[in-house]
Amino acid sequence: MSTFVVRTPEGTVLADTTDALALHEADHPVVQYVPLADVDASVLEPTETTTYCPYKGEATYSRVAAEPGLGDVLWAYEQPHPFMSDLAGHVAFYSDRVQIEVTPA
């Protein structure tokens, strides 16, 4: 299993997991969804941002409380459409706003 670590530019660890789900979508790069249990929610705060995807459902967003200049750093489908139910309880990070390190097993 690969290890997936997410840090802010300042070095704060946001997530550390070996259980990320890889989502492959058409012409988009693969997105890794991290289990909420492996995310440090204590450093995050929700924002008012929401979006809707016809395939996955409504997404909510969060930022790093101590680094608000980063903007939204992750999104989650809290109640995804039934055929995407594996995404429930997982979040994905913007790779251009945080540092993502994947170490192969």
Side-chain angles (χ1 to χ4, degrees):
M1 273 186 177
S2 297
T3 301
F4 187 83
V5 179
V6 180
R7 292 182 178 86
T8 68
E10 297 294 323
T12 302
V13 175
L14 301 176
D16 188 343
T17 190
T18 56
D19 293 323
L21 298 175
L23 179 63
H24 304 263
E25 288 187 90
D27 297 330
H28 301 288
V30 174
V31 175
Q32 301 288 331
Y33 282 82
V34 176
L36 281 171
D38 296 335
V39 175
D40 184 358
S42 72
V43 299
L44 300 170
E45 65 183 9
T47 67
E48 294 184 14
T49 307
T50 61
T51 58
Y52 181 79
C53 171
Y55 302 105
K56 295 179 289 264
E58 184 173 344
T60 58
Y61 294 76
S62 294
R63 67 181 182 182
V64 178
E67 298 179 51
L70 290 176
D72 294 330
V73 295
L74 68 81
W75 68 92
Y77 293 95
E78 295 172 19
Q79 296 179 352
H81 293 312
F83 53 89
M84 296 299 284
S85 62
D86 288 349
L87 297 182
H90 290 74
V91 300
F93 292 87
Y94 283 106
S95 61
D96 62 339
R97 299 179 190 176
V98 296
Q99 300 167 349
I100 299 173
E101 176 185 322
V102 180
T103 306

